[in-house]
Amino acid sequence: MMDVAVFSDIHGNHSALQASIDYAVGKGITNFVLLGDYVTDCPNPQKTMELIYVLKQYFNTYIIRGNREEYLLNYKKTGEGRWKKGSASGSLLYTYENLTDKDFNFFDSLPNYGIFQKKGLPGFEYCHGSPTNTSELLFKEKRNTKKVLTHLKTGMLLHGHNHIQGSYTYRGKKAVNPGSIGIPWGYDGKTQFSIIHGDGKFWEEEYVQLEYNRKEIIREFKASDLCTYAPAWAAVTMHTIRTGVDLNQTVLLRAMRLCEQERGYVKWPDIPEKYWAIALKENNIDLYGKEIPILKKEDA
């Protein structure tokens, strides 16, 4: 028998990560699989990194990198440049400036894909997006997901990236997405992860949705420079943390569309904040990630 906690898409939310670790350790779990996207989007990334280093030091950990770690590494290796303050890329820049050489060296040491093999237990594979691409999205029933499952060396793949907790089985092979620790979708914003239980022949997945101290991480948003670096992006991220409703891409695409309509072109990350502000307002989100009440006609 073996139990493994599977964490993915932490995105710098150390409050949610701490609650998830406490829950798992409270269950006697000493084995962890970490599927990438450890930082970006939330403030104080160094706090998340310290928790990951503690896990690595004291527990059996299997760790790979996500697309966000690749973004940061590539930015460093290519001499920096395009990221700037503003809601398009300010969150990435803020994270980059708050990481250390230790963090970058750690990211650089990580593989993009791994295979778990232990005597007496069935093997499984783990990655962020897909085994060959950290940014690939594996959705249920999609052709690329079926192709990935068909080519597995084992009977199960642990993957993250799309933040949608759940399983999908195709021709006897299973994809398991633990959900997102830090920017969870659905379940009213509860942090999400999975525990897989191995009995020697099969792995059975258990999905966890856990309440945590969201007020702590929201306070850190307000006190940090992240809200200055990326005002609208921080706001829509706080909204997701508060509600479990993801509007990041909706707001981004709307801001880009507004920019294109008025200026005749749009080039990321040069999207003026006024378009972000309009996109936020259209989606009823204020700068603290709270929902703006919609007035009824009789109240107007």
PDB file of all heavy atoms in Angstrom, residues 193-212:
ATOM      1  N   PHE A 193      -6.543  19.287  -4.847  1.00  0.00           N
ATOM      2  CA  PHE A 193      -5.446  18.377  -5.162  1.00  0.00           C
ATOM      3  C   PHE A 193      -5.994  16.961  -5.120  1.00  0.00           C
ATOM      4  O   PHE A 193      -7.196  16.750  -4.892  1.00  0.00           O
ATOM      5  CB  PHE A 193      -4.266  18.557  -4.194  1.00  0.00           C
ATOM      6  CG  PHE A 193      -4.592  18.362  -2.741  1.00  0.00           C
ATOM      7  CD1 PHE A 193      -4.379  17.139  -2.113  1.00  0.00           C
ATOM      8  CD2 PHE A 193      -5.107  19.415  -1.977  1.00  0.00           C
ATOM      9  CE1 PHE A 193      -4.671  16.966  -0.772  1.00  0.00           C
ATOM     10  CE2 PHE A 193      -5.405  19.247  -0.635  1.00  0.00           C
ATOM     11  CZ  PHE A 193      -5.186  18.019  -0.023  1.00  0.00           C
ATOM     12  N   SER A 194      -5.138  15.994  -5.363  1.00  0.00           N
ATOM     13  CA  SER A 194      -5.601  14.613  -5.311  1.00  0.00           C
ATOM     14  C   SER A 194      -4.652  13.765  -4.479  1.00  0.00           C
ATOM     15  O   SER A 194      -3.495  14.138  -4.245  1.00  0.00           O
ATOM     16  CB  SER A 194      -5.755  14.024  -6.715  1.00  0.00           C
ATOM     17  OG  SER A 194      -4.489  13.848  -7.315  1.00  0.00           O
ATOM     18  N   ILE A 195      -5.160  12.644  -4.033  1.00  0.00           N
ATOM     19  CA  ILE A 195      -4.360  11.615  -3.368  1.00  0.00           C
ATOM     20  C   ILE A 195      -4.588  10.332  -4.149  1.00  0.00           C
ATOM     21  O   ILE A 195      -5.737   9.953  -4.392  1.00  0.00           O
ATOM     22  CB  ILE A 195      -4.771  11.428  -1.903  1.00  0.00           C
ATOM     23  CG1 ILE A 195      -4.610  12.738  -1.125  1.00  0.00           C
ATOM     24  CG2 ILE A 195      -3.944  10.315  -1.257  1.00  0.00           C
ATOM     25  CD1 ILE A 195      -5.218  12.708   0.264  1.00  0.00           C
ATOM     26  N   ILE A 196      -3.516   9.701  -4.579  1.00  0.00           N
ATOM     27  CA  ILE A 196      -3.672   8.422  -5.263  1.00  0.00           C
ATOM     28  C   ILE A 196      -3.275   7.302  -4.299  1.00  0.00           C
ATOM     29  O   ILE A 196      -2.274   7.398  -3.586  1.00  0.00           O
ATOM     30  CB  ILE A 196      -2.882   8.343  -6.587  1.00  0.00           C
ATOM     31  CG1 ILE A 196      -1.392   8.637  -6.378  1.00  0.00           C
ATOM     32  CG2 ILE A 196      -3.472   9.316  -7.605  1.00  0.00           C
ATOM     33  CD1 ILE A 196      -0.544   8.388  -7.622  1.00  0.00           C
ATOM     34  N   HIS A 197      -4.097   6.269  -4.270  1.00  0.00           N
ATOM     35  CA  HIS A 197      -3.910   5.154  -3.359  1.00  0.00           C
ATOM     36  C   HIS A 197      -3.508   3.926  -4.173  1.00  0.00           C
ATOM     37  O   HIS A 197      -4.270   3.463  -5.033  1.00  0.00           O
ATOM     38  CB  HIS A 197      -5.200   4.862  -2.599  1.00  0.00           C
ATOM     39  CG  HIS A 197      -5.762   6.052  -1.880  1.00  0.00           C
ATOM     40  ND1 HIS A 197      -5.295   6.478  -0.653  1.00  0.00           N
ATOM     41  CD2 HIS A 197      -6.758   6.924  -2.223  1.00  0.00           C
ATOM     42  CE1 HIS A 197      -5.982   7.547  -0.261  1.00  0.00           C
ATOM     43  NE2 HIS A 197      -6.873   7.831  -1.204  1.00  0.00           N
ATOM     44  N   GLY A 198      -2.311   3.404  -3.912  1.00  0.00           N
ATOM     45  CA  GLY A 198      -1.838   2.233  -4.631  1.00  0.00           C
ATOM     46  C   GLY A 198      -1.950   0.979  -3.784  1.00  0.00           C
ATOM     47  O   GLY A 198      -1.571   0.985  -2.606  1.00  0.00           O
ATOM     48  N   ASP A 199      -2.479  -0.100  -4.379  1.00  0.00           N
ATOM     49  CA  ASP A 199      -2.663  -1.348  -3.625  1.00  0.00           C
ATOM     50  C   ASP A 199      -1.832  -2.504  -4.185  1.00  0.00           C
ATOM     51  O   ASP A 199      -2.052  -3.667  -3.822  1.00  0.00           O
ATOM     52  CB  ASP A 199      -4.136  -1.739  -3.609  1.00  0.00           C
ATOM     53  CG  ASP A 199      -4.675  -2.094  -4.993  1.00  0.00           C
ATOM     54  OD1 ASP A 199      -3.904  -1.996  -5.973  1.00  0.00           O
ATOM     55  OD2 ASP A 199      -5.855  -2.467  -5.096  1.00  0.00           O
ATOM     56  N   GLY A 200      -0.887  -2.191  -5.060  1.00  0.00           N
ATOM     57  CA  GLY A 200      -0.077  -3.240  -5.650  1.00  0.00           C
ATOM     58  C   GLY A 200      -0.489  -3.600  -7.061  1.00  0.00           C
ATOM     59  O   GLY A 200       0.324  -4.071  -7.851  1.00  0.00           O
ATOM     60  N   LYS A 201      -1.759  -3.396  -7.376  1.00  0.00           N
ATOM     61  CA  LYS A 201      -2.260  -3.695  -8.718  1.00  0.00           C
ATOM     62  C   LYS A 201      -2.783  -2.468  -9.441  1.00  0.00           C
ATOM     63  O   LYS A 201      -2.638  -2.344 -10.650  1.00  0.00           O
ATOM     64  CB  LYS A 201      -3.373  -4.746  -8.628  1.00  0.00           C
ATOM     65  CG  LYS A 201      -2.903  -6.115  -8.161  1.00  0.00           C
ATOM     66  CD  LYS A 201      -4.053  -7.116  -8.167  1.00  0.00           C
ATOM     67  CE  LYS A 201      -3.576  -8.494  -7.724  1.00  0.00           C
ATOM     68  NZ  LYS A 201      -4.703  -9.484  -7.725  1.00  0.00           N
ATOM     69  N   PHE A 202      -3.423  -1.565  -8.686  1.00  0.00           N
ATOM     70  CA  PHE A 202      -4.055  -0.394  -9.283  1.00  0.00           C
ATOM     71  C   PHE A 202      -3.776   0.842  -8.442  1.00  0.00           C
ATOM     72  O   PHE A 202      -3.432   0.758  -7.267  1.00  0.00           O
ATOM     73  CB  PHE A 202      -5.581  -0.591  -9.391  1.00  0.00           C
ATOM     74  CG  PHE A 202      -5.997  -1.814 -10.136  1.00  0.00           C
ATOM     75  CD1 PHE A 202      -6.400  -2.954  -9.461  1.00  0.00           C
ATOM     76  CD2 PHE A 202      -5.981  -1.832 -11.527  1.00  0.00           C
ATOM     77  CE1 PHE A 202      -6.786  -4.099 -10.151  1.00  0.00           C
ATOM     78  CE2 PHE A 202      -6.368  -2.964 -12.234  1.00  0.00           C
ATOM     79  CZ  PHE A 202      -6.767  -4.096 -11.544  1.00  0.00           C
ATOM     80  N   TRP A 203      -3.954   1.989  -9.077  1.00  0.00           N
ATOM     81  CA  TRP A 203      -3.991   3.268  -8.367  1.00  0.00           C
ATOM     82  C   TRP A 203      -5.429   3.785  -8.404  1.00  0.00           C
ATOM     83  O   TRP A 203      -6.047   3.818  -9.457  1.00  0.00           O
ATOM     84  CB  TRP A 203      -3.081   4.297  -9.032  1.00  0.00           C
ATOM     85  CG  TRP A 203      -1.627   4.008  -8.899  1.00  0.00           C
ATOM     86  CD1 TRP A 203      -0.816   3.441  -9.830  1.00  0.00           C
ATOM     87  CD2 TRP A 203      -0.803   4.273  -7.763  1.00  0.00           C
ATOM     88  NE1 TRP A 203       0.472   3.331  -9.353  1.00  0.00           N
ATOM     89  CE2 TRP A 203       0.514   3.833  -8.086  1.00  0.00           C
ATOM     90  CE3 TRP A 203      -1.026   4.828  -6.505  1.00  0.00           C
ATOM     91  CZ2 TRP A 203       1.582   3.945  -7.200  1.00  0.00           C
ATOM     92  CZ3 TRP A 203       0.043   4.934  -5.616  1.00  0.00           C
ATOM     93  CH2 TRP A 203       1.322   4.501  -5.963  1.00  0.00           C
ATOM     94  N   GLU A 204      -5.914   4.186  -7.259  1.00  0.00           N
ATOM     95  CA  GLU A 204      -7.255   4.776  -7.178  1.00  0.00           C
ATOM     96  C   GLU A 204      -7.123   6.219  -6.720  1.00  0.00           C
ATOM     97  O   GLU A 204      -6.485   6.495  -5.700  1.00  0.00           O
ATOM     98  CB  GLU A 204      -8.144   3.993  -6.204  1.00  0.00           C
ATOM     99  CG  GLU A 204      -9.558   4.544  -6.107  1.00  0.00           C
ATOM    100  CD  GLU A 204     -10.428   3.765  -5.137  1.00  0.00           C
ATOM    101  OE1 GLU A 204      -9.974   2.716  -4.645  1.00  0.00           O
ATOM    102  OE2 GLU A 204     -11.557   4.219  -4.861  1.00  0.00           O
ATOM    103  N   GLU A 205      -7.718   7.130  -7.472  1.00  0.00           N
ATOM    104  CA  GLU A 205      -7.573   8.542  -7.160  1.00  0.00           C
ATOM    105  C   GLU A 205      -8.684   9.037  -6.233  1.00  0.00           C
ATOM    106  O   GLU A 205      -9.841   8.642  -6.348  1.00  0.00           O
ATOM    107  CB  GLU A 205      -7.539   9.388  -8.431  1.00  0.00           C
ATOM    108  CG  GLU A 205      -8.816   9.425  -9.252  1.00  0.00           C
ATOM    109  CD  GLU A 205      -8.929   8.277 -10.239  1.00  0.00           C
ATOM    110  OE1 GLU A 205      -8.243   7.253 -10.058  1.00  0.00           O
ATOM    111  OE2 GLU A 205      -9.712   8.416 -11.195  1.00  0.00           O
ATOM    112  N   GLU A 206      -8.300   9.881  -5.315  1.00  0.00           N
ATOM    113  CA  GLU A 206      -9.240  10.574  -4.419  1.00  0.00           C
ATOM    114  C   GLU A 206      -9.061  12.071  -4.648  1.00  0.00           C
ATOM    115  O   GLU A 206      -7.932  12.571  -4.649  1.00  0.00           O
ATOM    116  CB  GLU A 206      -8.931  10.224  -2.957  1.00  0.00           C
ATOM    117  CG  GLU A 206      -9.711  11.046  -1.936  1.00  0.00           C
ATOM    118  CD  GLU A 206      -9.189  10.884  -0.517  1.00  0.00           C
ATOM    119  OE1 GLU A 206      -8.322  10.006  -0.282  1.00  0.00           O
ATOM    120  OE2 GLU A 206      -9.636  11.649   0.356  1.00  0.00           O
ATOM    121  N   TYR A 207     -10.156  12.780  -4.835  1.00  0.00           N
ATOM    122  CA  TYR A 207     -10.066  14.217  -5.080  1.00  0.00           C
ATOM    123  C   TYR A 207     -10.434  14.991  -3.821  1.00  0.00           C
ATOM    124  O   TYR A 207     -11.437  14.692  -3.166  1.00  0.00           O
ATOM    125  CB  TYR A 207     -10.973  14.621  -6.237  1.00  0.00           C
ATOM    126  CG  TYR A 207     -10.476  14.093  -7.559  1.00  0.00           C
ATOM    127  CD1 TYR A 207     -11.157  13.092  -8.242  1.00  0.00           C
ATOM    128  CD2 TYR A 207      -9.293  14.569  -8.104  1.00  0.00           C
ATOM    129  CE1 TYR A 207     -10.690  12.596  -9.450  1.00  0.00           C
ATOM    130  CE2 TYR A 207      -8.809  14.082  -9.307  1.00  0.00           C
ATOM    131  CZ  TYR A 207      -9.512  13.095  -9.976  1.00  0.00           C
ATOM    132  OH  TYR A 207      -9.033  12.603 -11.161  1.00  0.00           O
ATOM    133  N   VAL A 208      -9.616  15.982  -3.530  1.00  0.00           N
ATOM    134  CA  VAL A 208      -9.801  16.782  -2.317  1.00  0.00           C
ATOM    135  C   VAL A 208     -10.109  18.217  -2.704  1.00  0.00           C
ATOM    136  O   VAL A 208      -9.458  18.785  -3.589  1.00  0.00           O
ATOM    137  CB  VAL A 208      -8.530  16.736  -1.434  1.00  0.00           C
ATOM    138  CG1 VAL A 208      -8.729  17.585  -0.175  1.00  0.00           C
ATOM    139  CG2 VAL A 208      -8.167  15.301  -1.077  1.00  0.00           C
ATOM    140  N   GLN A 209     -11.117  18.791  -2.063  1.00  0.00           N
ATOM    141  CA  GLN A 209     -11.392  20.231  -2.148  1.00  0.00           C
ATOM    142  C   GLN A 209     -11.374  20.745  -0.707  1.00  0.00           C
ATOM    143  O   GLN A 209     -12.124  20.261   0.130  1.00  0.00           O
ATOM    144  CB  GLN A 209     -12.752  20.522  -2.790  1.00  0.00           C
ATOM    145  CG  GLN A 209     -12.917  19.952  -4.189  1.00  0.00           C
ATOM    146  CD  GLN A 209     -13.502  18.567  -4.184  1.00  0.00           C
ATOM    147  OE1 GLN A 209     -14.367  18.253  -3.375  1.00  0.00           O
ATOM    148  NE2 GLN A 209     -13.050  17.708  -5.081  1.00  0.00           N
ATOM    149  N   LEU A 210     -10.519  21.709  -0.451  1.00  0.00           N
ATOM    150  CA  LEU A 210     -10.217  22.089   0.924  1.00  0.00           C
ATOM    151  C   LEU A 210     -10.306  23.600   1.113  1.00  0.00           C
ATOM    152  O   LEU A 210      -9.737  24.364   0.328  1.00  0.00           O
ATOM    153  CB  LEU A 210      -8.803  21.600   1.263  1.00  0.00           C
ATOM    154  CG  LEU A 210      -8.281  21.778   2.676  1.00  0.00           C
ATOM    155  CD1 LEU A 210      -9.049  20.879   3.651  1.00  0.00           C
ATOM    156  CD2 LEU A 210      -6.786  21.445   2.720  1.00  0.00           C
ATOM    157  N   GLU A 211     -11.017  24.010   2.149  1.00  0.00           N
ATOM    158  CA  GLU A 211     -11.038  25.434   2.484  1.00  0.00           C
ATOM    159  C   GLU A 211      -9.713  25.802   3.138  1.00  0.00           C
ATOM    160  O   GLU A 211      -9.078  24.984   3.787  1.00  0.00           O
ATOM    161  CB  GLU A 211     -12.207  25.738   3.434  1.00  0.00           C
ATOM    162  CG  GLU A 211     -12.471  27.225   3.631  1.00  0.00           C
ATOM    163  CD  GLU A 211     -12.639  27.979   2.321  1.00  0.00           C
ATOM    164  OE1 GLU A 211     -13.745  28.007   1.781  1.00  0.00           O
ATOM    165  OE2 GLU A 211     -11.619  28.556   1.830  1.00  0.00           O
ATOM    166  N   TYR A 212      -9.276  27.026   2.932  1.00  0.00           N
ATOM    167  CA  TYR A 212      -8.012  27.484   3.516  1.00  0.00           C
ATOM    168  C   TYR A 212      -8.136  28.971   3.824  1.00  0.00           C
ATOM    169  O   TYR A 212      -9.174  29.599   3.576  1.00  0.00           O
ATOM    170  CB  TYR A 212      -6.856  27.211   2.547  1.00  0.00           C
ATOM    171  CG  TYR A 212      -6.870  28.057   1.287  1.00  0.00           C
ATOM    172  CD1 TYR A 212      -6.068  29.194   1.173  1.00  0.00           C
ATOM    173  CD2 TYR A 212      -7.691  27.737   0.205  1.00  0.00           C
ATOM    174  CE1 TYR A 212      -6.084  29.971   0.021  1.00  0.00           C
ATOM    175  CE2 TYR A 212      -7.712  28.500  -0.949  1.00  0.00           C
ATOM    176  CZ  TYR A 212      -6.913  29.614  -1.033  1.00  0.00           C
ATOM    177  OH  TYR A 212      -6.945  30.392  -2.164  1.00  0.00           O
TER     178      TYR A 212
END
